[in-house]
Amino acid sequence: MANRLTPLVAGNWKMNGLRADLGEIAAIRDAVAAGRAARAEILVCPPATLLAEAAQLCAGTPVAIGGQDCHPEAYGAHTGDISAEMLKDAGASYVIVGHSERRIDHGESDARVAAKAAAALRAGLKVILCVGETEAERAAGHAEARVAAQLEKSLPKERWAGRLAIAYEPVWAIGTGVTAMPRDVVAMHGFLRQRLAALLREGETVRLLYGGSVKPGNAAELLRSPDINGALVGGASLKAAEFLAIAAAIGGQ
Ligand code: PEP
């Protein structure tokens, strides 16, 4: 079942991008509409300031737009935060939750990540839930235990019916240019697939993405296993040409 899932190639722009950069999203849209990555689903998660315009640019095309985080509440006194309902209202269909930069920079616990994922599902969004071990945890031989614990505690209790993807992102591989060894990625994805099957009735339908310094030159090799159903791409998603090359390597004809 897992290898029949449509791959998802998702770009996470993080805190990058001004209105002048919207042309990159338009270029991605045009190439995807022309069939550049016909076997994959393509998603771009720009900063919140660009979300509504990006969604307008991609309306009616195969390119989905997503947020990078959401608050667990629908509205209220939470200065600076954005709810899942607001993301949806701005035209998003996806949101990333539990990215390691949020877990580290904002001290987000697994329970809070689960609440955010539940909020996103409640609002009708699809969710990319991130998990991943630190370098020290891997060196100590605790990578699987860490990732399994994060997965179990960050999963929302609500039913997700095909609206959940998990991104395995080893913290030490994010934005560092250091990629995990393909055999380690395959092993971790196989492990996650087993855990998901044990935890969820629909575990087989959950796409498992890899993230961590994915580039055009390593995408095909990194994503060659049936348990790897796409990529979450940071730095290399900022320029259409690079992102499209990754998308084509994963979802080209
Ligand atoms: C990410 O931000 O999720 C990510 C994987 O970043 P990068 O591709 O830059 O390592």
Side-chain angles (χ1 to χ4, degrees), residues 98-125:
H99 192 283
S100 60
E101 287 156 11
R102 302 251 3 138
R103 290 178 185 265
I104 294 164
D105 293 357
H106 300 273
E108 290 187 6
S109 65
D110 292 329
R112 186 147 180 93
V113 172
K116 289 180 174 210
L121 293 168
R122 175 193 68 213
L125 295 175

Side-chain angles (χ1 to χ4, degrees), residues 115-180:
K116 289 180 174 210
L121 293 168
R122 175 193 68 213
L125 295 175
K126 296 176 204 162
V127 173
I128 298 177
L129 169 60
C130 302
V131 296
E133 81 284 359
T134 63
E135 194 170 15
E137 287 161 347
R138 177 158 284 270
H142 298 152
E144 285 192 350
R146 177 70 185 123
V147 165
Q150 275 184 333
L151 181 69
E152 278 165 46
K153 294 184 195 152
S154 307
L155 275 178
K157 303 283 171 279
E158 283 73 6
R159 288 186 62 80
W160 31 80
R163 287 195 286 137
L164 180 69
I166 305 291
Y168 167 56
E169 299 207 306
V171 176
W172 45 273
I174 295 180
T176 58
V178 179
T179 41

Side-chain angles (χ1 to χ4, degrees), residues 6 18 39 81 87 137 146 191 195 201 223 233 244:
T6 302
L18 301 173
R39 290 189 305 105
D81 278 315
L87 293 176
E137 287 161 347
R146 177 70 185 123
F191 173 73
R195 294 303 312 138
R201 209 151 30 95
L223 280 88
V233 184
L244 287 165

Side-chain angles (χ1 to χ4, degrees), residues 12 14 99 169 173-175 211-214 232-235:
N12 173 15
K14 313 191 186 195
H99 192 283
E169 299 207 306
I174 295 180
S213 299
V214 176
L232 182 53
V233 184

Side-chain angles (χ1 to χ4, degrees), residues 18-39:
L18 301 173
R19 295 185 68 228
D21 299 303
L22 284 165
E24 301 296 329
I25 294 181
I28 292 168
R29 172 202 63 195
D30 293 345
V32 170
R36 179 83 189 272
R39 290 189 305 105

